[in-house]
Amino acid sequence: MLDFKDLNVKAPERNFTGTKIPMRKVIYKQIIVHDFKIEPSRYPEKSADGNRLCLQFKMDDKMHIVFSGSGVLMETVKLIDKTKLPVRTTIKEEFGRLQFT
């Protein structure tokens, strides 16, 4: 019988750490974005295209994760060069849309 280590299975490198918090606690507060990913949403009817943004960030010296179906946020993070992370920003709501400032 094989040992697990003989399978050469490695853990995914992109494990996000931090406390999951609702977006309403993040809006208008300064955060430091450390990583992000766009993945299929558990609630596709609430998202722009069936996907959601998973954002890992630091706020008040603690790591957090927030999820969003905002099309504007997802389209914006796609433009970010991940080699430039971490980056400081604020998420604001304007005319019913979330956006980075």
Side-chain angles (χ1 to χ4, degrees):
M1 180 182 300
L2 290 173
D3 288 330
F4 184 82
K5 66 181 178 179
D6 297 327
L7 298 175
N8 292 321
V9 175
K10 297 186 185 198
E13 292 180 30
R14 294 191 45 168
N15 291 326
F16 286 21
T17 59
T19 306
K20 179 183 167 189
I21 61 173
M23 182 61 79
R24 64 178 158 53
K25 292 190 175 188
V26 178
I27 295 176
Y28 299 110
K29 294 188 178 176
Q30 188 176 81
I31 62 173
I32 300 172
V33 176
H34 285 263
D35 204 355
F36 62 86
K37 63 182 173 182
I38 296 174
E39 59 190 13
S41 176
R42 293 183 187 169
Y43 307 100
E45 67 281 357
K46 294 183 178 183
S47 70
D49 61 358
N51 290 321
R52 70 178 182 179
L53 169 66
C54 178
L55 191 68
Q56 181 184 33
F57 62 96
K58 187 179 270 190
M59 182 174 71
D60 300 328
D61 292 323
K62 295 178 187 167
M63 292 300 289
H64 298 284
I65 300 169
V66 70
F67 296 97
S68 175
S70 167
V72 174
L73 293 183
M74 285 188 272
E75 290 303 315
T76 304
V77 298
K78 287 178 185 177
L79 302 174
I80 296 173
D81 176 358
K82 286 195 172 192
T83 63
K84 307 279 187 194
L85 295 176
V87 63
R88 187 175 28 248
T89 189
T90 301
I91 298 173
K92 68 177 184 175
E93 185 174 11
E94 193 168 284
F95 305 112
R97 293 181 171 200
L98 298 174
Q99 56 187 312
F100 294 102
T101 60

